[in-house]
Amino acid sequence: MKKILLTTAAVLCFALPATAQETETAAPVKQNAYLAFRLGGSRMNMKMDGEKENKSVFSLSGAIGTKIADGVRAELEVMTYGNYEENERDGTDRFDYKHSAVNFSLNVLKDFDVGKVKPYIGGGLGFAVFHDELKYDYTDGIWHYWGKRNENNTVFSANVQAGIAIPVTEVVSVDFNARYTYFGNYKFFDDALKMENKATNFMAGIRLDF
């Protein structure tokens, strides 16, 4: 019995330093999560009751994502579309209209490693909340009307996108992104108006890998 215990102690004495050495020299495991922030411009293609309008607005987006397969990542993204404004004056009559949106999407992206740059393609599905605001002050015959209407409508959204990431350090990359987004149609102001929306976005920002 004593012989067995001495043998076991000797094995442990040699094994423990080796284990400690392995622990000390093991390379840190790189995480697959990331944060992304972008800003840029969006071309909003709108159709209100059949009348087309194309306006450029400021856009800002933030995303949190992770690697889900080799060269494939998924992210949750929030993107804001700045105000589109239209003001009409006709004598004493006045109409002020504002239109903006926030889009929430789940995107799946495929990265390609071609050296110093990393192009990617992908798409996403989600929903958007559109905000419409109308201020009016006008006269119709002997009647005078004034007031303000606000309304929010939630619609389906889908996007296709492509971009290029240029690594600056092991953690930071510069990200250039272009995409096309389709939004579902909706009616607003007691179904008096029908709105159709599409958007083309060009953005740039940074991505932080963890």
Side-chain angles (χ1 to χ4, degrees):
M1 183 66 157
K2 185 177 179 181
K3 194 172 184 180
I4 294 174
L5 291 175
L6 287 172
T7 304
T8 304
V11 171
L12 289 174
C13 287
F14 285 106
L16 286 174
T19 304
Q21 186 176 8
E22 280 185 7
T23 304
E24 291 175 4
T25 58
V29 178
K30 185 177 180 181
Q31 301 299 311
N32 297 314
Y34 65 89
L35 294 173
F37 304 94
R38 304 185 191 98
L39 56 85
S42 299
R43 187 70 171 173
M44 297 294 291
N45 308 114
M46 300 171 288
K47 186 186 290 186
M48 185 186 298
D49 276 0
E51 184 177 337
K52 293 183 179 180
E53 285 282 352
N54 296 316
K55 295 289 183 179
S56 297
V57 297
F58 175 78
S59 290
L60 177 67
S61 79
I64 181 169
T66 187
K67 179 181 177 181
I68 59 174
D70 188 23
V72 181
R73 52 193 167 91
E75 65 178 25
L76 292 172
E77 182 185 46
V78 179
M79 178 179 289
T80 63
Y81 295 84
N83 281 333
Y84 154 67
E85 298 185 16
E86 187 173 334
N87 304 301
E88 291 187 11
R89 303 289 185 273
D90 184 6
T92 59
D93 295 343
R94 175 179 175 176
F95 301 90
D96 298 317
Y97 173 68
K98 291 182 180 180
H99 178 74
S100 60
V102 180
N103 189 53
F104 303 85
S105 62
L106 172 61
N107 304 322
V108 177
L109 306 163
K110 170 63 177 175
D111 294 305
F112 301 93
D113 192 349
V114 294
K116 293 184 179 180
V117 299
K118 298 183 183 297
Y120 62 88
I121 59 172
L125 300 174
F127 66 93
V129 180
F130 281 89
H131 177 75
D132 294 282
E133 178 183 305
L134 177 64
K135 293 180 181 179
Y136 54 90
D137 186 349
Y138 69 98
T139 301
D140 184 9
I142 62 172
W143 302 103
H144 185 73
Y145 303 90
W146 70 94
K148 179 180 178 181
R149 290 288 303 271
N150 287 288
E151 193 169 310
N152 293 320
N153 287 278
T154 303
V155 299
F156 166 82
S157 69
N159 75 76
V160 291
Q161 57 180 286
I164 296 176
I166 303 174
V168 178
T169 68
E170 289 186 358
V171 175
V172 181
S173 297
V174 178
D175 191 299
F176 298 95
N177 180 277
R179 74 181 66 188
Y180 172 81
T181 306
Y182 169 83
F183 303 99
N185 304 334
Y186 66 93
K187 293 182 179 181
F188 61 109
F189 296 160
D190 299 327
D191 293 341
L193 297 171
K194 180 181 178 181
M195 177 67 79
E196 301 175 35
N197 293 276
K198 302 177 183 65
T200 304
N201 310 84
F202 297 96
M203 309 183 77
I206 60 171
R207 194 164 77 210
L208 307 174
D209 294 290
F210 302 99

